[in-house]
Amino acid sequence: MVTNTIRYGSAPTPEHSMAALVTAAGVNRESTTTSVTTLMITTPSFGALHLVNSSNLYGDWIVPPADYILPNTSVNVVATSDNENDFPIVLTYRSDDGGIFIFSASNSKSRADTSGTFAPDDHDVTVTMTSGYPSMNVTYVLR
């Protein structure tokens, strides 16, 4: 079950601002617009999540996905891309009990969304997207 809660207008934290990430990545160019997507995944105490697959077809990882996420923790994933048309990121994690969790985000000039995010029936994930192109910030909270 997925519960989507989208809130626009909230300011991202200073350490995750687009300018700081673009400068850190060394991709600040005048001729193209660099988009940055920041994902934060927060887990409850039900067990660890183990990375099964990660996809960032048109971009580069600044902070790559964690191989595992321990219970009661939050992790950040940060990616950047010069592709203005499509910037999808999909992370697939498996829980200790075998459940599959999919964290999906897509960022482009035409849309910013998190469709495709999935949690097993016995879990819930609240998704909050605080901004869109070129700087997308998404928080996933598992329950």
Side-chain angles (χ1 to χ4, degrees), residues 49-54 66-67 91-95 99-101:
L49 296 179
H50 306 274
L51 184 65
V52 175
N53 191 28
S54 63
D67 289 337
L91 306 175
T92 305
Y93 281 88
R94 178 187 48 78
S95 64
I100 298 295
F101 294 80

Side-chain angles (χ1 to χ4, degrees), residues 37-39 55-56 86-91 102-108 111-117 127 129 136-140:
T37 299
T38 302
L39 310 176
S55 175
N56 178 8
D86 197 15
F87 182 20
I89 296 172
V90 179
L91 306 175
I102 300 172
F103 305 99
S104 177
S106 186
N107 191 10
S108 71
R111 69 184 176 100
D113 70 45
T114 58
S115 61
T117 298
V127 180
M129 182 172 55
M136 181 180 190
N137 299 289
V138 182
T139 302
Y140 305 94

Side-chain angles (χ1 to χ4, degrees), residues 21-46:
L21 292 172
V22 170
T23 302
V27 294
N28 194 3
R29 302 180 189 127
E30 290 181 30
S31 62
T32 60
T33 300
T34 300
S35 58
V36 176
T37 299
T38 302
L39 310 176
M40 179 187 286
I41 302 169
T42 301
T43 63
S45 61
F46 65 77

Side-chain angles (χ1 to χ4, degrees), residues 114-126:
T114 58
S115 61
T117 298
F118 173 82
D121 287 338
D122 54 341
H123 297 285
D124 187 32
V125 59
T126 299

